[in-house]
Amino acid sequence: MPENPTRRKRATVHDVAVEAGVSRGTVSRVVNGERYVSDEARKAIEAAIVKVGYVPNTAARNLVMQRTQAVAFIVHEPGPLFVEDPNIGEILLGANAALSDADYQMASILVDSERDTERVARFLRGGFVDGVVMVSARTNDPITRVIEQLELPAAFVGHPPGLTAAWVGIDNVGSARAVTERLVATGRRRIGMIAAALDRDSGVDRLQGFTEALGDRFDADLVESVPLYSYSAGVDGMRALLARHPDLDGVFAASDAVAAGALESLREAGRRVPEDVGVVGFDDSAWATRTHPALSTVRQPAAGLGRAAALSVLAQIRGEEPAVDGIMVETSVVWRGSA
């Protein structure tokens, strides 16, 4: 075998034109998806493309059009939670489906540290994507500020205070109130909450809904704050609540992952669910049906949120005005054995 084998020359538009017996301009129109090409010429060109092995130079075309045909999907969460949380995965799949239909690539980006923030900010400033879908943005999130400074087409899943960009979301307050009221209706009298992620709108809103549902019966000491929507946070939060209030008989966990962790701590403490303690979660994610008993919870269509966010970004890329008033997606309470 020779030491420096000759590299096969990349096929060009000229090669396709010669093979098909048409002009280079006609080939370009077919490659770029333009009309005004006869069916006969189009078929000849498509056959020639296969025969000569032509691959369009997307990078060059994007340079001319000042487009990358890519959208960033940014998640601001610790790495383990990104992998563990099926809700994030559903949002990602919904966004990817919408982008794929539009022939856009999705660049998945995880922000897990201050160093990540700086790196991602440089990436966005570099013009490598046409827009952004942002998940789990915090209040005063530095990535959010970069997106707004660059005036990138963007849509947020959730609505951090002060946000001026497009967003999609659910009624977290009303949904949390509804599932808590359902828990109260089972006859529970000492109901606590494991309130997660109070540094973002969803966590604050779910706590507000819980508070509204209990009214005068609300006791702030029956609320345990945890940092993340995670299983381990649910384990720790439930242990803390039981240590302070061993007599509690109901728990609203701010997510299904948190609820699953709470069930584990209740088992450790010898408390039966739902006989001794009723438990409800939020999301209706894969966690909800993996637990025993299965979780009563709020169903939010995570894939629908991702799809709506991606469609909003694509509309902005086309020049349409962003829906800064928000796009709301419906939820419902799903009742299972845990309560």
Side-chain angles (χ1 to χ4, degrees), residues 89-141:
E90 287 294 316
I91 295 171
L92 183 150
L93 291 174
N96 185 66
L99 294 172
S100 177
D101 288 344
D103 202 25
Y104 268 71
Q105 299 296 327
M106 185 173 74
S108 298
I109 299 173
L110 181 64
V111 177
D112 190 10
S113 65
E114 186 175 336
R115 184 174 181 275
D116 283 345
T117 299
E118 296 169 356
R119 172 180 55 80
V120 174
R122 290 196 303 271
F123 176 81
L124 295 177
R125 292 190 182 101
F128 297 104
V129 293
D130 297 330
V132 175
V133 172
M134 181 80 182
V135 180
S136 299
R138 271 61 163 181
T139 303
N140 298 319
D141 195 317

Side-chain angles (χ1 to χ4, degrees), residues 276-309:
D276 301 325
V277 182
V279 178
V280 295
F282 201 108
D283 291 334
D284 199 27
S285 66
W287 279 109
T289 53
R290 290 174 182 167
T291 61
H292 182 73
L295 284 172
S296 295
T297 186
V298 172
R299 175 177 294 157
Q300 65 163 324
L305 289 169
R307 181 173 181 81

Side-chain angles (χ1 to χ4, degrees), residues 232-257:
S232 59
V235 171
D236 295 341
M238 191 71 253
R239 285 173 179 165
L241 271 180
L242 285 173
R244 291 202 308 274
H245 299 282
D247 60 335
L248 64 75
D249 61 1
V251 177
F252 169 40
S255 81
D256 291 344

Side-chain angles (χ1 to χ4, degrees), residues 38 72 84 190 209 224 236 244:
S38 69
E84 172 187 305
R190 295 281 288 166
E224 180 66 22
D236 295 341
R244 291 202 308 274

Side-chain angles (χ1 to χ4, degrees), residues 3 26 30 46 66 69 88 92 103 122 125 140 176 187-189 192 207 220 253 256 264 286 320:
E3 292 183 3
T26 303
V30 170
E46 290 171 350
Q66 294 188 320
Q69 291 294 114
I88 294 174
L92 183 150
D103 202 25
R122 290 196 303 271
R125 292 190 182 101
N140 298 319
R188 315 289 168 173
R189 292 292 176 263
L207 175 57
D256 291 344
E264 177 61 29
E320 299 177 24

Side-chain angles (χ1 to χ4, degrees), residues 4 8 42 69 73 84 118 123 131 146 170 174 179 181 199 239 257 307 312:
N4 296 303
R8 182 180 177 184
R42 189 180 300 278
Q69 291 294 114
F73 182 89
E84 172 187 305
E118 296 169 356
F123 176 81
V146 170
I170 61 170
V179 76
E181 288 173 346
D199 59 346
R239 285 173 179 165
R307 181 173 181 81
S312 175

